[in-house]
Amino acid sequence: MTTEHEEAAFLSALLDGELEGPERVRLQKHLSSCPSCSLELEALRKVKMVLAKAPKKSMPLEWTQTFPQALTAAASPRKTSSRARVFSQSWLIPALVAAAVSFAVSFWIFQSRENFPLRHSLSLNAVSAPSTTVSPLNPGSSQTQDNTP
Amino acid sequence: MIERKEELLDPKRFQDDAARSFRQVEFVALLKNNGDKVYNFAWRLAGNEQDAWDLFQETLMKAYSHFESYDQSRPFDSWLFKILQNVYLDERRRNSRKTVASLDAPSPISGKPWEEILSGTDLNPLERLSKEENADLVQKALAGLPPLYRSAVILCDMEGLSYDAIAEVMDCPLGTVRSRVHQARLLLKKAFEDLSDTLSPDKQLQ
């Protein structure tokens, strides 16, 4: 089978101008006396013609943009450290700042709520509220001391 | 900051950057002259625009990364053809879901055995087809070929490469190229006949 194919393949080689010397002479001589091989050669020629005449595609113009970008993308990760890559993310730094500010504000509000009533009561005690003490002599009663002059 | 300045002023780094820029310019210049042929080859091999574009881009990246090994005395398009074909075959091997036609596999044409396809002699549909180019039919017929046959016949009949050049691209002996081109044409002849027969009468090629 292989041998037959290789011999038949000389028809295509002849068609493509790839057959020279005694092989070419022998095949041409055979073709002049063999209608079926001549017919086969004509069929091959038509196939070749159809392919040669088929429309062709040009490469899309996108390549002028995508190719340099791809080169840059392929080259840069090897040079930048993982730390640099983290900080090269444009959204990361603003996000961290926003998180820090939000935490600070929350903490301040929390502290304010905790401290304000305490300070308020202390100041009332210190300024106007009468202090209440329990007399050791009379534990059941309380005595109010007026600090005001 | 100081380190960055030192890095920029490093002569070795400067040389590397300059060499890289020069290499990019050189590669792009060669590509501008040969890219259309290579893209057309990708399109004919892949069978559609999307796969052709992916194949083309992967080929460019691979070619660029091995650009230093390119022998300037050899045609750039043949070098790219070779890379593209290897990328294509690798992709087909990786993607087992896509069917790879082979002479050991069932025939792609109407359930007929390969032997029957190869011995077809009817010329009429082919004559009709050759009078009017029909890209769709050509693409469908090419898609039914085994990949190596497809490559050989595209490179020969559509890209105009010599057998020597095809042998280099496909990394095979000259006799193998001759056989692949011939077998591909026989299969295409039969495929054109079958595809043309399936067209409705009003759409048949005159």
Side-chain angles (χ1 to χ4, degrees):
Chain A
M1 191 73 176
T2 308
T3 310
E4 284 174 15
H5 282 169
E6 284 177 358
E7 286 178 0
F10 284 134
L11 285 173
S12 279
L14 181 72
L15 188 66
D16 295 327
E18 297 276 355
L19 200 62
E20 293 176 344
E23 285 172 335
R24 181 187 176 89
V25 174
R26 184 175 58 81
L27 186 57
Q28 283 179 327
K29 189 176 177 182
H30 172 73
L31 284 169
S32 64
S33 61
C34 180
S36 67
C37 281
S38 298
L39 207 62
E40 188 74 5
L41 183 66
E42 182 60 15
L44 294 172
R45 189 188 65 77
K46 288 181 186 298
V47 171
K48 185 178 173 69
M49 190 174 67
V50 168
L51 294 182
K53 286 169 68 180
K56 295 185 176 180
K57 290 268 181 194
S58 298
M59 60 178 170
L61 288 175
E62 292 169 62
W63 80 271
T64 55
Q65 291 180 342
T66 57
F67 182 57
Q69 283 172 359
L71 285 184
T72 308
S76 56
R78 290 173 192 164
K79 289 194 165 186
T80 52
S81 65
S82 57
R83 190 177 169 185
R85 272 202 302 278
V86 167
F87 285 98
S88 69
Q89 302 286 342
S90 59
W91 54 268
L92 191 59
I93 291 175
L96 286 173
V97 170
V101 168
S102 142
F103 176 76
V105 169
S106 305
F107 184 75
W108 181 77
I109 290 170
F110 177 76
Q111 285 293 92
S112 300
R113 283 183 181 172
E114 287 286 314
N115 293 337
F116 182 74
L118 184 62
R119 279 204 302 270
H120 184 67
S121 64
L122 281 175
S123 62
L124 285 176
N125 283 339
V127 175
S128 60
S131 62
T132 305
T133 55
V134 177
S135 169
L137 298 175
N138 189 9
S141 66
S142 61
Q143 194 172 2
T144 302
Q145 293 180 348
D146 192 354
N147 291 327
T148 51
Chain B
M1 195 64 184
I2 294 168
E3 282 179 10
R4 177 70 184 154
K5 278 184 180 174
E6 285 174 353
E7 209 173 80
L8 287 171
L9 293 172
D10 179 10
K12 178 74 172 65
R13 185 188 156 88
F14 180 77
Q15 281 179 352
D16 289 348
D17 286 348
R20 195 180 305 116
S21 300
F22 180 75
R23 200 164 64 237
Q24 280 189 20
V25 170
E26 194 180 14
F27 186 86
V28 168
L30 285 167
L31 191 60
K32 277 183 180 172
N33 293 331
N34 298 277
D36 286 345
K37 284 189 281 187
V38 177
Y39 184 76
N40 190 56
F41 183 43
W43 178 55
R44 290 299 186 184
L45 272 185
N48 64 71
E49 293 263 19
Q50 182 57 52
D51 288 347
W53 177 237
D54 292 344
L55 179 59
F56 181 69
Q57 289 196 104
E58 197 175 338
T59 300
L60 292 192
M61 292 306 294
K62 199 162 188 176
Y64 183 76
S65 65
H66 294 87
F67 191 43
E68 284 170 4
S69 69
Y70 165 60
D71 180 0
Q72 303 264 356
S73 65
R74 316 299 294 241
F76 187 65
D77 57 351
S78 294
W79 187 67
L80 284 181
F81 285 147
K82 185 171 190 170
I83 294 171
L84 192 143
Q85 173 172 279
N86 289 337
V87 170
Y88 172 71
L89 293 176
D90 286 347
E91 177 62 26
R92 285 194 67 111
R93 283 188 205 106
R94 271 200 303 270
N95 191 353
S96 57
R97 282 173 296 179
K98 288 184 178 176
T99 52
V100 179
S102 131
L103 286 179
D104 297 327
S107 159
I109 304 169
S110 308
K112 295 178 183 175
W114 289 102
E115 290 76 10
E116 192 180 328
I117 294 169
L118 294 174
S119 62
T121 54
D122 181 16
L123 290 180
N124 293 334
L126 186 58
E127 284 171 346
R128 290 203 302 271
L129 187 66
S130 64
K131 287 178 182 172
E132 183 176 332
E133 294 170 7
N134 190 312
D136 194 37
L137 280 186
V138 170
Q139 199 71 338
K140 280 180 182 171
L142 284 170
L145 296 181
L148 294 174
Y149 287 12
R150 196 186 315 160
S151 289
V153 81
I154 292 170
L155 291 172
C156 182
D157 292 344
M158 300 179 123
E159 304 299 340
L161 265 63
S162 68
Y163 283 11
D164 278 330
I166 298 170
E168 196 176 320
V169 169
M170 302 189 77
D171 202 17
C172 65
L174 208 61
T176 306
V177 172
R178 189 163 52 209
S179 177
R180 283 176 182 170
V181 169
H182 183 68
Q183 295 306 313
R185 284 183 185 149
L186 292 177
L187 288 169
L188 285 173
K189 178 168 76 74
K190 191 61 186 169
F192 287 151
E193 290 166 4
D194 286 357
L195 288 168
S196 183
D197 286 346
T198 60
L199 293 175
S200 58
D202 59 315
K203 289 184 180 175
Q204 276 204 351
L205 300 168
Q206 298 301 316

